[in-house]
Amino acid sequence: MSVLQHLNAELSINSGQEFLWERVGNNWYGIHGGSVVRFSAADPLGLESFPDCVSAEEIFRLDDDMGAILGEISHDPLMKSLVATYPGLRLMRQDAEQCLFSFLCASNTNIPMIRRMLRSLCARFGRQVQVDGQKFHAFPSAKALDRASEAELRAAGLGYRAKAIKAAAREIARGSLDLESLKKASYKDAKARLLEIYGVGPKIADCVLLFSLEKLDAFPIDVWIARALANHYDWLSDKKTSDKLTARQYEDLSSQMRRYFGRHAGYAQQYLYYHMRQAAGKRW
């Protein structure tokens, strides 16, 4: 099966994993760390990066063996159905710093608001990049965000999240947090380190692990996934699942789903997440 049969780029970038993509004419433009990336809706494999430092292979995880992965996770009727219903949906590989700051902004809000916050951060603190005669702003570096005051971050529309953004930026800028090194660490050790960061809870940590630190077994649980598990996987547990989980309940349930779906549990999570939001008619 060809790569394109396993890749629906537009579906993937609009599935709640990333927040800084926009369509202009026949092209999609996205922010990936310090670069602006562009691909034609007709040719996602022709993705270009400005500056040229990232490829379609990296962003769309073309190194993932999708046939094997989908076979691994499709061992119940629901997941088999979702894989067939949303062909080409796949995980994206994000810039680690951008991913961390994005999900810190995602706390207790909706996707349109997350996009507004992140675009404001880019416009205020990111480097301007011109592509196709249009002005974009790359994602600000941790050093740039560290130089900003908490008041300046609040002025970008972050509200109480400014404190967490500032804390994470300071750790990265001063060298006490090395996100790249966490790619080589175990899931357990990498998650423990992320949980030491102010404002990072289990769900944010799992999102960062899954979408940027190569931990494809991570299984983030938000309100949509909690509902999916309560509605479709309650038979796996003798405990009732609710929308609001304690930290202990979260860890127990996430671990259970990681065991059930295996080393690519994060892919199963993404299919469930997308399906639940589609079924509810939620905007992306």
Side-chain angles (χ1 to χ4, degrees):
M1 187 173 285
S2 72
V3 170
L4 282 176
Q5 287 176 289
H6 273 316
L7 170 63
N8 184 327
E10 293 181 278
L11 173 63
S12 299
I13 65 175
N14 290 293
S15 63
Q17 304 176 59
E18 296 201 11
F19 309 103
L20 289 175
W21 287 88
E22 59 181 294
R23 183 165 183 164
V24 181
N26 291 321
N27 289 331
W28 281 96
Y29 298 86
I31 307 302
H32 185 90
S35 298
V36 175
V37 294
R38 175 192 66 200
F39 70 85
S40 162
D43 181 25
L45 299 186
L47 179 145
E48 296 178 274
S49 171
F50 308 89
D52 184 16
C53 60
V54 64
S55 66
E57 286 75 15
E58 179 178 352
I59 286 182
F60 294 124
R61 300 194 62 94
L62 300 185
D63 49 331
D64 287 349
D65 184 343
M66 292 304 297
I69 289 171
L70 297 181
E72 283 180 24
I73 65 174
S74 298
H75 54 75
D76 65 58
L78 174 63
M79 194 53 59
K80 287 180 181 177
S81 171
L82 298 187
V83 166
T85 302
Y86 306 114
L89 173 61
R90 63 193 300 152
L91 293 175
M92 308 280 290
R93 181 179 281 120
Q94 300 184 31
D95 174 83
E97 288 187 14
Q98 180 176 335
C99 187
L100 173 58
F101 294 125
S102 294
F103 282 99
L104 283 170
C105 286
S107 173
N108 297 315
T109 190
N110 56 45
I111 289 178
M113 180 60 74
I114 298 166
R115 287 181 170 147
R116 284 195 288 272
M117 284 189 279
L118 295 178
R119 285 174 181 152
S120 179
L121 271 184
C122 291
R124 288 171 182 257
F125 307 109
R127 177 177 55 86
Q128 188 178 105
V129 180
Q130 190 159 324
V131 180
D132 297 336
Q134 301 175 76
K135 293 180 180 178
F136 297 91
H137 288 87
F139 203 85
S141 66
K143 290 183 178 179
L145 294 176
D146 184 42
R147 287 193 295 268
S149 67
E150 190 174 326
E152 288 173 320
L153 293 172
R154 284 181 176 273
L158 302 188
Y160 72 87
R161 300 168 189 84
K163 186 175 181 180
I165 296 291
K166 180 70 176 176
R170 177 157 296 181
E171 286 205 48
I172 295 170
R174 298 186 179 183
S176 60
L177 173 62
D178 181 0
L179 291 173
E180 285 301 307
S181 72
L182 297 185
K183 293 180 180 179
K184 301 174 184 177
S186 67
Y187 168 84
K188 180 179 178 181
D189 289 345
K191 185 168 185 177
R193 178 63 186 95
L194 290 177
L195 290 173
E196 293 174 355
I197 305 168
Y198 176 82
V200 174
K203 189 205 80 171
I204 292 176
D206 275 331
C207 286
V208 176
L209 291 166
L210 176 60
F211 298 129
S212 70
L213 297 182
E214 303 299 317
K215 305 298 185 278
L216 298 188
D217 57 333
F219 195 91
I221 302 176
D222 70 346
V223 63
W224 296 103
I225 294 298
R227 290 172 187 171
L229 300 185
N231 292 340
H232 303 291
Y233 291 96
D234 60 329
W235 51 273
L236 279 173
S237 175
D238 57 1
K239 297 178 182 177
K240 184 176 176 60
T241 302
S242 64
D243 287 357
K244 294 183 179 180
L245 303 174
T246 66
R248 177 62 182 273
Q249 289 172 327
Y250 179 100
E251 293 301 338
D252 287 347
L253 194 55
S254 181
S255 296
Q256 186 176 57
M257 301 313 295
R258 289 173 64 229
R259 288 192 298 271
Y260 178 67
F261 283 114
R263 59 181 179 158
H264 295 108
Y267 265 100
Q269 187 271 354
Q270 191 61 31
Y271 276 89
L272 286 170
Y273 178 79
Y274 187 78
H275 173 68
M276 293 298 290
R277 286 186 58 93
Q278 286 294 101
K282 288 297 181 178
R283 289 178 55 203
W284 295 98

